[in-house]
């Protein structure tokens, strides 16, 4: 079963998503041998002619297409290997699209559906049905449980830890944080702030904060 699945995956990765692979086993009892026969039904290569993002308002179609590896077929696709549907790559693309939106503050973003339309047996139109939701911003920040260092000392520690020289320093907010009041809220920004506070304590020898 595993071998037939691997053969089918190889076809899918090469742009033949409709290819099926079946196997049959022949037993030769006289000499204790078995033979396996793979029956492959090859489908025609399907070329992607258009990719649409339905309900997209925050970003242009062009900007969203840049976030994914699945591409429309074009004159040099035979060199780049793009322009055909690859199931494993497409799954990664859906994750990348969601990550892009969430790191722009659209925490409620969802891909509601994906529609595949075949204008002809060898062409494919892909439509992502999106729910963008609202862009979230940080309303307020509160730090609690800090008895060793005040909020001001934590902010100063974060400021001192920022790169100097030719590297441009990131702009810190009113609470001294990288993602602060009024900024677009992102999961990545939250992790950076948490790490920055942990680093302040770590620099003082408090590694278990």
């Amino acid at each position: 079963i595993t071998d037939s699945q691997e053969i089918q995956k190889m076809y899918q990765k090469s742009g033949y998503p409709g290819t099926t692979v079946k196997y049959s086993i022949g037993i030769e009892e006289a000499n204790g041998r078995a033979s396996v026969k793979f029956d492959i039904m090859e489908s025609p290569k399907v070329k992607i002619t258009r990719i649409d993002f339905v309900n997209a308002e925050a970003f242009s179609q062009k900007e969203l297409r840049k976030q994914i590896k699945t591409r429309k077929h074009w004159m040099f696709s035979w060199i780049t290997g793009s322009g055909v549907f690859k199931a494993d790559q497409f799954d990664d693309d859906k994750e990348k699209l969601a990550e892009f939106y969430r790191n722009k503050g659209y925490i409620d973003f969802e891909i509601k559906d994906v529609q595949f339309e075949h204008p002809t047996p060898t062409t494919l139109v892909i439509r992502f049905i999106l729910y963008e939701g609202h862009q979230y911003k940080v309303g307020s920040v509160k730090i609690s449980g800090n008895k060793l260092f005040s909020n001001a000392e934590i902010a100063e520690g974060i400021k001192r830890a920022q790169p100097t020289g030719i590297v441009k320093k990131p702009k810190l907010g009113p609470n001294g944080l990288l993602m602060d009041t009024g900024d677009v809220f992102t999961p990545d920004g939250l992790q950076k702030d948490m790490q920055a506070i942990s680093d302040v304590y770590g620099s003082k020898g408090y590694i278990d904060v």
Side-chain angles (χ1 to χ4, degrees), residues 188-203:
D188 184 56
L190 178 61
Q191 288 299 320
K192 286 180 178 179
D193 276 343
M194 292 172 64
Q195 187 60 53
I197 295 173
S198 294
D199 289 346
V200 171
Y201 274 83
S203 68

Side-chain angles (χ1 to χ4, degrees), residues 13-60:
K13 288 180 180 179
S14 299
Y16 301 89
T19 296
T20 59
V21 181
K22 297 181 179 180
Y23 70 94
S24 58
I25 301 175
I27 305 296
E28 300 175 18
E29 295 183 358
N31 54 24
R33 294 181 178 180
S35 61
V36 180
K37 178 184 178 182
F38 292 99
D39 293 312
I40 302 174
M41 292 290 293
E42 295 182 336
S43 69
K45 179 171 284 192
V46 178
K47 298 177 181 179
I48 301 170
T49 57
R50 196 167 78 247
I51 302 173
D52 294 331
F53 301 90
V54 182
N55 301 324
E57 296 181 358
F59 306 99
S60 69

Side-chain angles (χ1 to χ4, degrees), residues 170-194:
K171 182 181 178 181
L172 302 180
N175 297 287
L177 299 173
L178 298 164
M179 183 183 73
D180 214 322
T181 303
D183 293 333
V184 172
F185 176 84
T186 69
D188 184 56
L190 178 61
Q191 288 299 320
K192 286 180 178 179
D193 276 343
M194 292 172 64

